[in-house]
Amino acid sequence: MGQKKQPAAAALSDPKKRRRVGFFAIDAGIEAKDCIKIYLVSSKEEVDASSSFCIDPVDLDSFFGEDGKIYGYEGLKINIWVSSISFHAYADITFESKSDGGKGITDLKTDLQNIFAATLVESKEEFLQTFSTQRNFIGSIVSGGQVLQQKTSNGHVASSDSNSVAASNVEVVRMVIGDTEAGPLYGQLIPLVFLLVDGSSPIDVTDPCWELYLLIEKKVDHQGEEHSLLLGFAAAYRFYHYPGSSRLRISQIMVLPPYQHKGYGRYLLEVLYGVAVSEDVFDLTIEEPLDYLQHVRTCIDVQRLLTFEPIQQAVNEAASHLKQGKLSKKTQIPRLMPPRSAIEDVQKSLKINKKQFLQCWEVLIYLGLSPVDKYMDDFVAIISNRVREDILGKDSGTTGKQVISVESDYDQEMSFTMIRSQPGEAACTVQLTDESQANQEEQLQKLVDERMKEIKLVAEKVSSHCV
């Protein structure tokens, strides 16, 4: 039995029998950074003011889903106000419409609480009240701390027993975590640490080996009352060092955005160096410093080393050896390393460890060349030789390490792997193609160029006596 077929034309002519298929666009979402602005304010009058300080840029992607996007909203705008008085936060959320566009609807309240935790208040009125109810929050906490150093209004620094204390308006206060109120204060700062310090994680506020160094500004209001304002802080861990000493390691250091690039970060580092010297710790180190922090640190250390008499002869001898000339033409280029006695003296007296001292040593030699252009080729040859030995090993021409370019989604120009020949193996066990050899040389040259740029920047800053 056959099935009766209806002509196609007849089927299309009857609108009731047409099949209708609808399509809708999948919600593409919106980048968190495109709809969220974070403001740091010190008074209720600054809330909603166009002149309020906006913290920018802030990496928010890691706090919103796997792709850093917000879904389900049209015309979304989030203004987050953070008080620099008590570090409470309030989020003002507005949007035109909300619907599931195929990717769900982001739970904004939960995501924001994951960032700001207990510091996030529910209402704007409650947030505004904190400027009066919490106005002495910082002052009451730091009153139990130890004032280490004070900076006067004319830029001079005085110790805590100086006669100029009364004229000061900026001071560094040390508080031991676990023994003081520093724990609750740090808890209020954690959201800003997450947002502003790359790769940070909270410190253990129950561990008494942690110390907070708080940079405090004393301000007098219109009523003549003095209030304390937090400009920044450093968190340092005090390790035991055998047989009866300790080591200080800076884990986090942050200057709040409105006060950055004004010398406060440098001042805080200088105070920490003062602590390391006065308390005779073994050394002071920084845990994975970012490039700018490392730059400031090196500028400070180079200036201290320039006036450190025990190493001046060694620096002069290294510079004189380089000035003899034609090092770049030699097959064996010397590294001009500092003597062991200099390394030991610097660590003992200035608390600068060997790794950091070697970074500064190259800058010291560069500063000792005059005119520097005359000796630049030889100096670059020394830096190039040092970089090559550090990466490939001293026997890079035969055995040792080999650098081979590899494909990577991270950075196509600076992606490589190193292979070390085993003892007794011939150099031919690792064969480099002409292309790989060229890539290796190109990558090494980029490292040399970056290092030369760093040396010149530090030398310029030190010579002008400012950072």
Side-chain angles (χ1 to χ4, degrees), residues 58-251:
V58 174
D59 185 8
L60 296 165
D61 291 349
S62 61
F63 298 102
F64 293 89
E66 296 181 356
D67 55 3
K69 290 186 176 182
I70 297 174
Y71 295 97
Y73 296 88
E74 288 289 336
L76 178 63
K77 183 179 179 181
I78 305 175
N79 288 331
I80 301 174
W81 308 91
V82 180
S83 167
S84 62
I85 303 301
S86 65
F87 298 97
H88 285 94
Y90 167 69
D92 182 15
I93 304 173
T94 60
F95 52 87
E96 297 173 1
S97 61
K98 180 172 68 173
S99 63
D100 187 347
K103 290 291 189 74
I105 301 175
T106 300
D107 187 346
L108 294 175
K109 182 177 180 180
T110 298
D111 285 346
L112 291 175
Q113 284 181 334
N114 288 338
I115 302 174
F116 294 95
T119 67
L120 189 66
V121 300
E122 290 286 341
S123 68
K124 185 176 183 179
E125 181 181 359
E126 181 183 357
F127 177 68
L128 294 177
Q129 288 177 352
T130 62
F131 290 100
S132 56
T133 60
Q134 300 290 323
R135 64 187 305 183
N136 294 319
F137 173 68
I138 298 297
S140 62
I141 289 179
V142 300
S143 61
Q146 176 190 5
V147 178
L148 296 175
Q149 233 176 27
Q150 297 173 318
K151 191 172 185 178
T152 61
S153 56
N154 62 5
H156 296 297
V157 176
S159 62
S160 58
D161 59 353
S162 170
N163 294 328
S164 63
V165 169
S168 66
N169 59 0
V170 176
E171 62 187 22
V172 175
V173 179
R174 174 167 61 183
M175 305 191 74
V176 178
I177 293 288
D179 295 343
T180 64
E181 294 297 319
L185 171 58
Y186 181 80
Q188 293 289 99
L189 295 172
I190 286 177
L192 288 179
V193 172
F194 278 149
L195 293 171
L196 300 176
V197 182
D198 290 346
S200 62
S201 57
I203 65 175
D204 182 1
V205 295
T206 65
D207 188 341
C209 291
W210 281 107
E211 299 174 3
L212 279 188
Y213 294 81
L214 307 172
L215 186 62
I216 304 296
E217 180 181 21
K218 297 293 186 67
K219 303 188 76 171
V220 179
D221 61 20
H222 297 296
Q223 288 75 35
E225 296 183 10
E226 186 179 72
H227 301 284
S228 297
L229 187 66
L230 181 69
L231 307 183
F233 79 94
Y237 196 84
R238 189 175 290 264
F239 291 90
Y240 171 74
H241 182 264
Y242 181 83
S245 183
S246 61
R247 310 180 75 173
L248 272 180
R249 178 181 295 172
I250 302 173
S251 176

